[in-house]
Amino acid sequence: MNDLIVVPQTNQWQKLKALVLDSVSSPITKRVAGLKNGELLRRAEEQFDLFITAGKNIRFQQNLKERRIAILVLPSNRLTVWRAILTDIQSGIAQMVAGGASQYVELPWPR
């Protein structure tokens, strides 16, 4: 597994892909669009290293303890916020992929 999955709550994954790196896959091209978080995470674990989302409630809605995928939570699904924390996003991705699965990180709002 050397791939990433990005599932912000909007279709702005393309903008994140352009900003961050090329190994970002859209939920549409991987045929997981429209799935609920539990099923989406289960399928993502089968083929991806990292799940990126702007869904801050995921830790309350899902039991993440048994997950075998790293989860990076962005503070917003707005491109302007992503640009402001681009360095944090890039270093978070690199750190989480290098560290393996079973990680959960929420990035803070820009200061």
Side-chain angles (χ1 to χ4, degrees):
M1 288 190 292
N2 292 328
D3 216 342
L4 306 175
I5 187 167
V6 177
V7 188
Q9 295 175 344
T10 68
N11 64 356
Q12 294 202 19
W13 66 267
Q14 292 173 320
K15 294 173 184 168
L16 182 61
K17 179 179 178 175
L19 282 174
V20 182
L21 62 155
D22 292 327
S23 60
V24 173
S25 297
S26 87
I28 295 166
T29 61
K30 293 297 178 180
R31 296 200 173 125
V32 294
L35 294 177
K36 299 293 181 195
N37 279 342
E39 180 65 13
L40 184 59
L41 282 170
R42 187 187 68 71
R43 289 199 189 176
E45 284 177 321
E46 296 170 358
Q47 55 186 323
F48 298 103
D49 299 315
L50 176 62
F51 183 88
I52 303 174
T53 182
K56 292 184 252 339
N57 289 329
I58 195 168
R59 68 184 170 137
F60 302 112
Q61 297 168 345
Q62 301 297 315
N63 180 0
L64 302 178
K65 190 174 187 176
E66 301 298 319
R67 294 292 174 195
R68 300 178 323 266
I69 191 168
I71 300 171
L72 179 64
V73 181
L74 305 178
S76 169
N77 61 6
R78 301 175 85 189
L79 183 59
T80 55
V81 174
W82 295 353
R83 283 191 180 128
I85 62 168
L86 182 57
T87 303
D88 294 335
I89 293 172
Q90 290 171 324
S91 59
I93 289 171
Q95 191 173 24
M96 293 179 83
V97 170
S102 301
Q103 298 180 59
Y104 177 90
V105 173
E106 283 188 32
L107 293 180
W109 279 88
R111 298 174 196 228

